[in-house]
Amino acid sequence: MKNSYVYIHINPIKNEIFYVGIGCTESRATSKHNRTKFWHNVVNKYGYVVEIIHSKLTWEQACENEKYYIRLIGRRSLNKGPLVNLTDGGDGGMGYKHNRESLKKISENRKGKYCGIEHHNYGKELS
């Protein structure tokens, strides 16, 4: 299924990419929800412009592209570039610690379909 995409967030003052992300819903690229403190710091100071750089990808293709661009541009936390991404990409935020409220929301969202992929327990009655 080809419904995922890769997007970038650009600092309009510096004309510099500061975030690379992937999504499968229309609103993910423009959403301010579930972003890190570092992302919000940049946005609060400079604002941001969204650009979709690849679309109509499988989730796996989007993950690979995200990793490529993060490696190419470089993460700030590793002193290799301007990106505020906390991971090397392709993992949907793996390694990031969510608070209890976020974990509850994630749990509820994953009980059905995500990006067109059914959860292995979707529609099954659990004991």
Side-chain angles (χ1 to χ4, degrees):
M1 183 174 293
K2 296 190 177 222
N3 62 350
S4 300
Y5 59 91
V6 180
Y7 63 91
I8 56 174
H9 289 161
I10 302 167
N11 174 330
I13 305 301
K14 295 181 175 182
N15 197 29
E16 176 180 78
I17 298 168
F18 71 91
Y19 186 81
V20 177
I22 55 178
C24 62
T25 60
E26 277 185 40
S27 62
R28 182 59 190 147
T30 57
S31 174
K32 291 185 177 183
H33 297 289
N34 296 321
R35 304 290 184 185
T36 66
K37 176 180 114 180
F38 304 111
W39 185 91
H40 283 285
N41 288 345
V42 172
V43 170
N44 291 338
K45 188 170 184 178
Y46 302 107
Y48 72 113
V49 174
V50 178
E51 187 175 320
I52 306 293
I53 57 175
H54 294 289
S55 60
K56 298 181 182 175
L57 302 172
T58 64
W59 183 253
E60 292 77 17
Q61 289 169 326
C63 288
E64 289 305 312
N65 275 280
E66 182 187 34
K67 288 191 279 190
Y68 168 77
Y69 286 107
I70 291 172
R71 189 171 46 251
L72 178 71
I73 300 166
R75 290 174 38 203
R76 184 182 296 181
S77 63
L78 300 175
N79 295 320
K80 293 187 176 191
L83 298 179
V84 297
N85 293 71
L86 295 179
T87 70
D88 291 331
D91 51 18
M94 185 179 264
Y96 177 76
K97 302 258 185 192
H98 294 282
N99 62 34
R100 287 180 189 246
E101 182 181 341
S102 294
L103 289 172
K104 185 177 179 182
K105 286 180 185 178
I106 291 167
S107 174
E108 290 300 317
N109 287 335
R110 291 187 177 170
K111 288 182 180 173
K113 294 183 179 181
Y114 182 71
C115 295
I117 301 169
E118 284 188 0
H119 184 275
H120 65 278
N121 285 329
Y122 182 71
K124 295 179 183 174
E125 188 173 319
L126 303 175
S127 59

